[in-house]
Amino acid sequence: MLRYQQFIVTKHSSHPVILNKESRKTPRAVNVDLQSDATLQVDISDALSERDKVKFTVHTKSTLSNFKQNEFSVVRQHEEFIWLHDSFVENEEYAGYIIPPAPPRPDFDASREKLQKLGEGEGSMTKEEFTKMKQELEAEYLAIFKKTVAMHEVFLCRVAAHPVLRKDLNFHVFLEYNQDLSVRGKNKKEKLEDFFKNVVKSADGVLVAGVKDVDDFFEHEKTFLLEYHNRVKDASAKSDRMIRSHKSIADDVNRIASTLYTLGTQDSTDVCKFFLKVSELFEKTRKIEARVAADEDLKLADLLKYYLRESQAAKDLLYRRGRALVDYENANKALDKARAKNKDVLQAETSQQVCCQKFEKISESAKQELIDFKTRRVAAFRKNLVELAELELKHAKGHLQLLQSCLGVLKGDT
Amino acid sequence: MTGRGAADSLLPAPSFAPSVIQWRSKMAAERDTPPLGSAAAGLADFREPEDGEDLFVSTASTLESSPSSPEPASLQVEDVSANSNGPKTAEILIDDDQDDLFAEATEEVSLDSPEREPILSDGPSPAITPVTPTALISNRIEPKVIGVPSMFERSLDEVEEEAGGDLFDINISVSDPEKVGDGMNAYMAYKVTTKTSLTIFNQSEFSVKRRFSDFLGLHSKLASKYMHIGYIVPPAPEKSIVGMTKVKVGKEDLSSTEFVEKRRSALERYLMRTVKHPTLIQDPDVIQFLESSELPRAVSTQALSGAGILRMVNKAADAVNKMTIKMNESDAWFEEKQQQFENLDQQLRKLHASVEALVCHRKELSVNTASFARSAAMLGNSEDHTALSRALSQLAEVEEKIDQLHQEQAYADFYLFSELLGDYVRLITAVKGVFDQRMKTWSKWQDAQVMLQKKREAEAKLHLANKPDKLQQAKDEIKEWEGKVQQGERDFEQISKTIRKEVGRFEKERVKDFKVVIIKYLESLVHTQQQLIKYWEAFLPEAKAIA
């Protein structure tokens, strides 16, 4: 039974849509705006974390006739999501769309390592300390777990919300086929192939990007996205570091609270009351600090990470268009040459037409996609920044109240 | 009793015109090495013997002669160690008992067997076995009444009352660190300002310039005078070769500024703790330190000086001795207290380590927040949606303010919380040291008893062998050791009594200190949260304004 909350923004609404997910047992509270996606609603209703893999239960509700039922669920693993994403990327038909970025691989390594270390160090600490640390690590594990579920869900929802991608056959198979898709992760050879492909692609990308675009809109977008992507990357890294420091502080305060408690119980003088009261206070405030870190992570770091990936996807779109443009121009040149030599003219003409169509098709949809990207981005940032500020305020006020009440008691005692 | 009165017997005769302080300073100026721990009432000054010099040659007349006479006045210094380079001091105490300072002066002046342990300038008694100098005796002066400098004419009670009660009005501040000199010989001079209404001082407000080694020298003297009789002498701040070298070399960066500030603050706390002690504040060394414009350089505090090395040797020897002394504790209070302090020590160290980690992470957070703020500003710049761009810039500003806040909080974490804990960890070491001294005192007493027994047996043997001439000597020796046993017992009782009192005082101070600091610290946390609320409240409408 997992509860998690996240954000997605549909293509058609200008306001963010919040989907509250609860466990299957309770009714799903959905807050949709304007265009209801009743035709196709996808979510991850459950997830199970096993030793080295996570099993997601993908739940679909649809009125579309393609599906055999109106409501059904399947179990999918991370590799299957990647397979789906890659199939979109490789599909020429979708060249003109921003492909929703693939969710990152679930990474429990750090958490698992910590849990293991804790197990090893069990002998060296008191029972209370051990239980406390265990609880914390479990909470951390749960948080990472929730995040990975959220990211996989966002991917699916984006696909479901896209007017073209939602019709994709692979997508339907993914949603409906309740057997294992027999998709295996890439083996070493394939990973190496991918690596080379990427190298070639980035080299090509530089070439293509160097070509000045006639269209102002796209030229502007190119410059903008390049810079934006880099800066988001930087901001994402810095926000991660900031949040890690916050977590460290919460851990320190936790240790301080424990030691103060011991001091308080040991001390025979007047000051023992102080120690105990402050220990109690720090126990509570450290929880708040941990929540602040977690909320910043969710509202700020995750936001930046997501838009890092999306801006990359947008860049990829621009690259494809640029590539198509270069191809088109080359085809034009080839046609001219063929006409001049009067050799293979028909072939050249067909080739040129194909390139032209391709290019125009991409350009048309790309423009809309990029505009939507901006809309989504602005809305998501707005929502998250507002929520971030509200949560920071809430926590600070709670923290302040605890401090003041403790001070009141202590000052009264002296 | 410990016979501090005997020390008093060495006061110069009233014919000595110059005031005590001046005399002492002058004497001090003659030598390279610091004057030994001076008697409380400016008593006979003495100095460490130069190598090979016969300590006890001078006659009583020396005291009356010019102060520039290089020969030491006859001393109560007991241990003559031919190769000792360390300064030896006589033991002078102001008795904490609420009696007239010199009421017991008449008791102790048995010059035959001075029972004082010489103390090296810092640390517990030397590992060197006491040797009773028999040559010492004849030159002692034995006045019963001592002329005291005017400041000590009042009874000790009054001073104590003033020191301990509400009238205890003295405030010390250490400020204006100034670099003096260049290169490796450079040092930091600090201004020490005292504001007080206590009459043991000449003025009510005055300041002097002191350097770090001066503080160490002061502590050194106080420790050598008081620790072995059970007083908890506040430890001086620690040396730091790395830190000081940076300063000397002239590195003007943040870390050296921080280092100097850390040291300044530590020195201030050190002095305040020292003067809060009702006994220590009356010590002439303390008064001289605070008042006198010139102070002889405390060279023996250098780690690699002869004195320094001797200190290290003695510390090692002490550690060994401690392990071998097995004391029969008859007083449960001491056992209980020792255990308590052991526990307290453990927990405080743990807490200190955690708080230091907190300070470190808080500083890190400040740096990372600043870094993020810059990054967010850049992101805002490249964002092409105007309203969002502005909001991101605002976010950057908020984060920048917050990073400042974190930095301030880190300072509070450190200067309020961490330094207090550090101070107390060191203080408790001093407390434990005092308990160890008691053990030593007990051990000495036991040793004396053993020796007495031996002497008695020897006498009995001689009796049988019928050697009349040697018999007399044996009888004399028995008498001597009987005296020593008595002295040992008295010392032990005295130190036990003193420790009880000191521990009581220490605990009271500790409670007060912690309460005050905890409240201050919580208030700093309150301030941080209040500011955070302010900043985020200002930002929220900006975020909402994104259209």
Side-chain angles (χ1 to χ4, degrees), chain A residues 220 224 227-228 231-232 234-235 238 241-242 245 252 259 267 269-270 377 382 393 396 399 411, chain B residues 343 347 357-358 361 365 368 371 375 378-379 382-385 510-511 515 523 529 537 540 544 546:
Chain A
H220 165 80
F224 163 72
E227 194 187 55
Y228 187 79
R231 298 209 175 158
V232 162
D234 188 52
K238 304 274 164 69
R241 282 226 287 272
M242 182 173 76
S245 293
D252 290 332
T259 318
D267 204 297
T269 67
D270 223 13
R377 184 175 78 242
R382 180 187 189 280
L393 270 172
H399 197 155
K411 278 185 176 163
Chain B
N343 292 342
Q347 293 305 319
L358 177 67
H361 288 137
L365 178 62
N368 288 341
S371 168
S375 192
M378 296 281 279
L379 187 64
S382 60
E383 173 60 64
D384 62 355
H385 185 272
R510 175 170 78 92
V511 167
K515 280 189 179 178
E523 283 175 347
Q529 292 304 317
E537 272 179 349
L540 190 55
K544 288 192 169 152
I546 305 171

Side-chain angles (χ1 to χ4, degrees), chain B residues 184-202:
Chain B
M184 287 313 286
N185 290 328
Y187 62 90
M188 274 300 193
Y190 301 88
K191 183 165 158 204
V192 177
T193 310
T194 315
K195 290 196 184 115
T196 178
S197 61
L198 296 177
T199 53
I200 49 175
F201 294 100
N202 288 334

Side-chain angles (χ1 to χ4, degrees), chain B residues 70-136:
Chain B
E71 293 180 339
S74 42
L75 307 166
Q76 293 185 320
V77 175
E78 188 170 296
D79 285 5
V80 189
S81 175
N83 60 358
S84 147
N85 283 333
K88 299 188 197 312
T89 64
E91 172 183 325
I92 328 86
L93 307 171
I94 301 177
D95 193 351
D96 254 359
D97 291 350
Q98 303 299 318
D99 298 332
D100 184 4
L101 179 58
F102 301 108
E104 295 180 44
T106 49
E107 267 188 40
E108 281 307 325
V109 205
S110 75
L111 300 171
D112 285 22
S113 47
E115 286 305 330
R116 220 103 322 91
E117 279 183 43
I119 314 110
L120 293 183
S121 60
D122 56 332
S125 37
I128 310 162
T129 341
V131 171
T132 317
T134 47
L136 175 57

Side-chain angles (χ1 to χ4, degrees), chain B residues 222-511:
Chain B
L222 293 177
S224 65
K225 280 194 269 183
Y226 294 101
M227 282 218 61
H228 71 283
I229 40 174
Y231 286 90
I232 302 172
V233 175
E238 285 166 353
K239 295 194 218 201
S240 160
I241 299 178
V242 174
M244 245 351 258
T245 313
K246 272 201 202 157
V247 172
K248 287 187 211 244
V249 163
K251 239 175 145 216
E252 283 290 323
D253 65 351
L254 186 61
S255 69
S256 14
T257 329
E258 277 183 14
F259 170 77
V260 171
E261 172 54 29
K262 182 176 165 181
R263 179 164 273 194
R264 181 209 69 77
S265 170
L267 291 173
E268 195 173 272
R269 291 194 310 271
Y270 164 65
L271 282 181
M272 279 305 287
R273 285 221 175 82
T274 307
V275 299
K276 275 203 208 138
H277 195 299
T279 308
L280 294 180
I281 192 179
Q282 297 174 68
D283 184 287
D285 279 322
V286 171
I287 296 172
Q288 184 193 39
F289 181 90
L290 292 174
E291 269 189 342
S292 132
S293 47
E294 285 293 316
L295 208 62
R297 252 200 85 185
V299 173
S300 76
T301 58
Q302 284 169 348
L304 296 180
S305 67
I309 294 185
L310 189 60
R311 261 201 300 280
M312 288 193 280
V313 167
N314 285 329
K315 269 204 176 109
D318 279 344
V320 171
N321 279 346
K322 191 167 143 181
M323 290 190 278
T324 54
I325 298 177
K326 194 70 188 81
M327 181 170 161
N328 297 336
E329 188 55 81
S330 51
D331 193 339
W333 184 92
F334 282 90
E335 210 169 307
E336 207 180 286
K337 278 299 170 189
Q338 271 189 288
Q339 188 56 49
Q340 269 178 25
F341 280 115
E342 196 56 56
N343 292 342
L344 188 61
D345 187 33
Q346 223 182 20
Q347 293 305 319
L348 282 183
R349 278 176 199 268
K350 209 164 148 198
L351 189 59
H352 188 213
S354 297
V355 175
E356 282 190 318
L358 177 67
V359 172
C360 181
H361 288 137
R362 190 97 67 182
K363 282 197 188 146
E364 224 176 71
L365 178 62
S366 166
V367 166
N368 288 341
T369 308
S371 168
F372 173 71
R374 281 192 295 273
S375 192
M378 296 281 279
L379 187 64
N381 277 344
S382 60
E383 173 60 64
D384 62 355
H385 185 272
T386 353
L388 179 56
S389 170
R390 204 181 52 238
L392 284 171
S393 306
Q394 297 287 7
L395 180 69
E397 271 179 41
V398 166
E399 294 288 355
E400 210 178 293
K401 290 196 205 132
I402 290 180
D403 108 69
Q404 277 299 100
L405 206 58
H406 286 314
Q407 209 177 48
E408 285 168 22
Q409 183 61 59
Y411 278 135
D413 289 344
F414 181 73
Y415 282 107
L416 285 176
F417 207 178
S418 177
E419 287 284 79
L420 173 78
L421 293 170
D423 285 350
Y424 267 90
V425 165
R426 280 195 297 277
L427 270 166
I428 290 192
T429 312
V431 172
K432 295 209 288 199
V434 146
F435 277 98
D436 289 344
Q437 290 298 332
R438 179 172 170 269
M439 246 178 27
K440 273 221 196 86
T441 314
W442 179 85
S443 171
K444 190 155 171 261
W445 175 28
Q446 299 305 310
D447 289 346
Q449 281 181 329
V450 164
M451 193 51 116
L452 178 63
Q453 186 58 25
K454 276 204 192 116
K455 295 293 178 187
R456 286 201 171 128
E457 285 168 4
E459 195 242 8
K461 269 201 203 123
L462 285 178
H463 216 98
L464 291 173
N466 203 5
K467 291 202 179 126
D469 47 338
K470 289 223 176 114
L471 204 61
Q472 183 52 42
Q473 186 186 357
K475 284 200 197 291
D476 285 342
E477 285 182 353
I478 289 182
K479 223 142 154 242
E480 181 194 330
W481 281 97
E482 276 175 350
K484 283 203 180 139
V485 165
Q486 278 180 356
Q487 183 62 45
E489 187 176 0
R490 274 195 301 263
D491 285 346
F492 180 72
E493 280 171 18
Q494 179 61 32
I495 196 175
S496 301
K497 187 164 162 213
T498 308
I499 289 182
R500 272 178 191 265
K501 199 156 173 217
E502 282 287 285
V503 164
R505 201 190 140 262
F506 177 81
E507 289 287 79
K508 246 172 72 186
E509 282 296 312
R510 175 170 78 92
V511 167

